[in-house]
Short mmCIF file of all heavy atoms in Angstrom, two decimals:
data_model
loop_
_atom_site.label_atom_id
_atom_site.label_comp_id
_atom_site.label_asym_id
_atom_site.label_seq_id
_atom_site.Cartn_x
_atom_site.Cartn_y
_atom_site.Cartn_z
N LEU A 225 12.21 21.36 -27.08
CA LEU A 225 11.60 20.65 -28.20
C LEU A 225 10.08 20.76 -28.16
O LEU A 225 9.42 20.91 -29.19
CB LEU A 225 12.02 19.18 -28.18
CG LEU A 225 13.49 18.90 -28.53
CD1 LEU A 225 13.83 17.44 -28.26
CD2 LEU A 225 13.76 19.24 -29.99
N HIS A 226 9.52 20.70 -26.96
CA HIS A 226 8.07 20.82 -26.79
C HIS A 226 7.60 22.20 -27.25
O HIS A 226 6.59 22.32 -27.95
CB HIS A 226 7.71 20.60 -25.33
CG HIS A 226 6.26 20.35 -25.09
ND1 HIS A 226 5.81 19.37 -24.24
CD2 HIS A 226 5.14 20.95 -25.58
CE1 HIS A 226 4.48 19.37 -24.22
NE2 HIS A 226 4.06 20.33 -25.03
N ALA A 227 8.32 23.24 -26.86
CA ALA A 227 7.94 24.60 -27.24
C ALA A 227 8.01 24.79 -28.75
O ALA A 227 7.13 25.44 -29.34
CB ALA A 227 8.85 25.61 -26.53
N ILE A 228 9.02 24.22 -29.39
CA ILE A 228 9.14 24.32 -30.85
C ILE A 228 7.97 23.61 -31.53
O ILE A 228 7.42 24.09 -32.52
CB ILE A 228 10.49 23.73 -31.32
CG1 ILE A 228 11.65 24.58 -30.79
CG2 ILE A 228 10.54 23.67 -32.84
CD1 ILE A 228 13.01 23.96 -31.03
N THR A 229 7.58 22.47 -30.96
CA THR A 229 6.44 21.73 -31.51
C THR A 229 5.17 22.56 -31.47
O THR A 229 4.35 22.51 -32.39
CB THR A 229 6.22 20.43 -30.72
OG1 THR A 229 7.42 19.67 -30.72
CG2 THR A 229 5.10 19.60 -31.33
N ASP A 230 4.99 23.34 -30.41
CA ASP A 230 3.77 24.12 -30.22
C ASP A 230 3.81 25.50 -30.87
O ASP A 230 2.89 26.29 -30.69
CB ASP A 230 3.50 24.30 -28.72
CG ASP A 230 3.02 23.02 -28.06
OD1 ASP A 230 2.54 22.13 -28.79
OD2 ASP A 230 3.12 22.90 -26.83
N VAL A 231 4.86 25.78 -31.66
CA VAL A 231 4.97 27.11 -32.25
C VAL A 231 3.81 27.40 -33.20
O VAL A 231 3.45 28.57 -33.43
CB VAL A 231 6.33 27.25 -32.98
CG1 VAL A 231 6.33 26.48 -34.29
CG2 VAL A 231 6.68 28.72 -33.22
N SER A 232 3.20 26.34 -33.73
CA SER A 232 2.07 26.54 -34.64
C SER A 232 0.90 27.22 -33.94
O SER A 232 0.05 27.84 -34.59
CB SER A 232 1.61 25.19 -35.21
OG SER A 232 1.16 24.34 -34.17
N LEU A 233 0.85 27.11 -32.61
CA LEU A 233 -0.24 27.74 -31.87
C LEU A 233 -0.22 29.26 -32.00
O LEU A 233 -1.27 29.90 -31.88
CB LEU A 233 -0.14 27.37 -30.38
CG LEU A 233 -0.47 25.93 -30.00
CD1 LEU A 233 -0.19 25.70 -28.53
CD2 LEU A 233 -1.93 25.62 -30.31
N ILE A 234 0.94 29.83 -32.24
CA ILE A 234 1.05 31.29 -32.29
C ILE A 234 0.18 31.85 -33.40
O ILE A 234 -0.63 32.77 -33.18
CB ILE A 234 2.52 31.73 -32.47
CG1 ILE A 234 3.35 31.28 -31.26
CG2 ILE A 234 2.60 33.24 -32.64
CD1 ILE A 234 4.82 31.59 -31.38
N THR A 235 0.32 31.32 -34.62
CA THR A 235 -0.47 31.83 -35.74
C THR A 235 -1.95 31.53 -35.53
O THR A 235 -2.82 32.33 -35.89
CB THR A 235 0.00 31.21 -37.06
OG1 THR A 235 0.04 29.78 -36.94
CG2 THR A 235 1.40 31.70 -37.42
N GLN A 236 -2.27 30.37 -34.93
CA GLN A 236 -3.66 30.02 -34.69
C GLN A 236 -4.29 30.97 -33.67
O GLN A 236 -5.42 31.44 -33.85
CB GLN A 236 -3.76 28.58 -34.18
CG GLN A 236 -3.40 27.54 -35.24
CD GLN A 236 -3.40 26.12 -34.68
OE1 GLN A 236 -3.56 25.92 -33.49
NE2 GLN A 236 -3.22 25.15 -35.53
#
Side-chain angles (χ1 to χ4, degrees):
L225 289 171
H226 195 136
I228 294 171
T229 304
D230 287 340
V231 74
S232 61
L233 289 174
I234 297 176
T235 52
Q236 292 176 353

